[in-house]
mmCIF file with all atom_site columns, all heavy atoms in Angstrom:
data_model
loop_
_atom_site.group_PDB
_atom_site.id
_atom_site.type_symbol
_atom_site.label_atom_id
_atom_site.label_alt_id
_atom_site.label_comp_id
_atom_site.label_asym_id
_atom_site.label_entity_id
_atom_site.label_seq_id
_atom_site.pdbx_PDB_ins_code
_atom_site.Cartn_x
_atom_site.Cartn_y
_atom_site.Cartn_z
_atom_site.occupancy
_atom_site.B_iso_or_equiv
_atom_site.pdbx_formal_charge
_atom_site.auth_seq_id
_atom_site.auth_comp_id
_atom_site.auth_asym_id
_atom_site.auth_atom_id
_atom_site.pdbx_PDB_model_num
ATOM 1  N N   . TYR O 1 23 ? 77.766 87.882 -37.342 1.00 0.00 ? 394 TYR O N   1
ATOM 2  C CA  . TYR O 1 23 ? 76.658 87.275 -38.087 1.00 0.00 ? 394 TYR O CA  1
ATOM 3  C C   . TYR O 1 23 ? 76.977 85.842 -38.543 1.00 0.00 ? 394 TYR O C   1
ATOM 4  O O   . TYR O 1 23 ? 76.064 85.055 -38.740 1.00 0.00 ? 394 TYR O O   1
ATOM 5  C CB  . TYR O 1 23 ? 76.247 88.157 -39.268 1.00 0.00 ? 394 TYR O CB  1
ATOM 6  C CG  . TYR O 1 23 ? 75.391 89.331 -38.838 1.00 0.00 ? 394 TYR O CG  1
ATOM 7  C CD1 . TYR O 1 23 ? 75.725 90.633 -39.190 1.00 0.00 ? 394 TYR O CD1 1
ATOM 8  C CD2 . TYR O 1 23 ? 74.252 89.127 -38.047 1.00 0.00 ? 394 TYR O CD2 1
ATOM 9  C CE1 . TYR O 1 23 ? 74.941 91.704 -38.777 1.00 0.00 ? 394 TYR O CE1 1
ATOM 10 C CE2 . TYR O 1 23 ? 73.482 90.198 -37.627 1.00 0.00 ? 394 TYR O CE2 1
ATOM 11 C CZ  . TYR O 1 23 ? 73.821 91.480 -37.995 1.00 0.00 ? 394 TYR O CZ  1
ATOM 12 O OH  . TYR O 1 23 ? 73.048 92.531 -37.576 1.00 0.00 ? 394 TYR O OH  1
ATOM 13 N N   . GLY O 1 24 ? 78.255 85.503 -38.712 1.00 0.00 ? 395 GLY O N   1
ATOM 14 C CA  . GLY O 1 24 ? 78.610 84.119 -39.068 1.00 0.00 ? 395 GLY O CA  1
ATOM 15 C C   . GLY O 1 24 ? 78.124 83.144 -38.001 1.00 0.00 ? 395 GLY O C   1
ATOM 16 O O   . GLY O 1 24 ? 77.573 82.084 -38.310 1.00 0.00 ? 395 GLY O O   1
ATOM 17 N N   . HIS O 1 25 ? 78.286 83.532 -36.722 1.00 0.00 ? 396 HIS O N   1
ATOM 18 C CA  . HIS O 1 25 ? 77.824 82.657 -35.632 1.00 0.00 ? 396 HIS O CA  1
ATOM 19 C C   . HIS O 1 25 ? 76.296 82.571 -35.616 1.00 0.00 ? 396 HIS O C   1
ATOM 20 O O   . HIS O 1 25 ? 75.728 81.510 -35.388 1.00 0.00 ? 396 HIS O O   1
ATOM 21 C CB  . HIS O 1 25 ? 78.284 83.190 -34.268 1.00 0.00 ? 396 HIS O CB  1
ATOM 22 C CG  . HIS O 1 25 ? 79.782 83.321 -34.134 1.00 0.00 ? 396 HIS O CG  1
ATOM 23 N ND1 . HIS O 1 25 ? 80.406 84.480 -33.768 1.00 0.00 ? 396 HIS O ND1 1
ATOM 24 C CD2 . HIS O 1 25 ? 80.777 82.427 -34.336 1.00 0.00 ? 396 HIS O CD2 1
ATOM 25 C CE1 . HIS O 1 25 ? 81.710 84.307 -33.728 1.00 0.00 ? 396 HIS O CE1 1
ATOM 26 N NE2 . HIS O 1 25 ? 81.976 83.059 -34.074 1.00 0.00 ? 396 HIS O NE2 1
ATOM 27 N N   . LEU O 1 26 ? 75.648 83.737 -35.840 1.00 0.00 ? 397 LEU O N   1
ATOM 28 C CA  . LEU O 1 26 ? 74.175 83.753 -35.778 1.00 0.00 ? 397 LEU O CA  1
ATOM 29 C C   . LEU O 1 26 ? 73.580 82.960 -36.938 1.00 0.00 ? 397 LEU O C   1
ATOM 30 O O   . LEU O 1 26 ? 72.622 82.205 -36.759 1.00 0.00 ? 397 LEU O O   1
ATOM 31 C CB  . LEU O 1 26 ? 73.668 85.202 -35.772 1.00 0.00 ? 397 LEU O CB  1
ATOM 32 C CG  . LEU O 1 26 ? 74.076 85.984 -34.507 1.00 0.00 ? 397 LEU O CG  1
ATOM 33 C CD1 . LEU O 1 26 ? 73.842 87.477 -34.692 1.00 0.00 ? 397 LEU O CD1 1
ATOM 34 C CD2 . LEU O 1 26 ? 73.312 85.486 -33.283 1.00 0.00 ? 397 LEU O CD2 1
ATOM 35 N N   . VAL O 1 27 ? 74.168 83.094 -38.119 1.00 0.00 ? 398 VAL O N   1
ATOM 36 C CA  . VAL O 1 27 ? 73.691 82.322 -39.274 1.00 0.00 ? 398 VAL O CA  1
ATOM 37 C C   . VAL O 1 27 ? 73.935 80.826 -39.021 1.00 0.00 ? 398 VAL O C   1
ATOM 38 O O   . VAL O 1 27 ? 73.102 79.985 -39.350 1.00 0.00 ? 398 VAL O O   1
ATOM 39 C CB  . VAL O 1 27 ? 74.393 82.792 -40.580 1.00 0.00 ? 398 VAL O CB  1
ATOM 40 C CG1 . VAL O 1 27 ? 74.109 81.854 -41.730 1.00 0.00 ? 398 VAL O CG1 1
ATOM 41 C CG2 . VAL O 1 27 ? 73.950 84.204 -40.941 1.00 0.00 ? 398 VAL O CG2 1
ATOM 42 N N   . THR O 1 28 ? 75.063 80.506 -38.403 1.00 0.00 ? 399 THR O N   1
ATOM 43 C CA  . THR O 1 28 ? 75.357 79.107 -38.056 1.00 0.00 ? 399 THR O CA  1
ATOM 44 C C   . THR O 1 28 ? 74.262 78.533 -37.159 1.00 0.00 ? 399 THR O C   1
ATOM 45 O O   . THR O 1 28 ? 73.727 77.441 -37.409 1.00 0.00 ? 399 THR O O   1
ATOM 46 C CB  . THR O 1 28 ? 76.711 79.006 -37.311 1.00 0.00 ? 399 THR O CB  1
ATOM 47 O OG1 . THR O 1 28 ? 77.733 79.457 -38.168 1.00 0.00 ? 399 THR O OG1 1
ATOM 48 C CG2 . THR O 1 28 ? 76.997 77.590 -36.854 1.00 0.00 ? 399 THR O CG2 1
ATOM 49 N N   . ALA O 1 29 ? 73.916 79.277 -36.113 1.00 0.00 ? 400 ALA O N   1
ATOM 50 C CA  . ALA O 1 29 ? 72.906 78.800 -35.157 1.00 0.00 ? 400 ALA O CA  1
ATOM 51 C C   . ALA O 1 29 ? 71.567 78.608 -35.862 1.00 0.00 ? 400 ALA O C   1
ATOM 52 O O   . ALA O 1 29 ? 70.886 77.595 -35.656 1.00 0.00 ? 400 ALA O O   1
ATOM 53 C CB  . ALA O 1 29 ? 72.767 79.804 -34.010 1.00 0.00 ? 400 ALA O CB  1
#
Side-chain angles (χ1 to χ4, degrees):
Y394 282 127
H396 301 126
L397 294 167
V398 170
T399 298

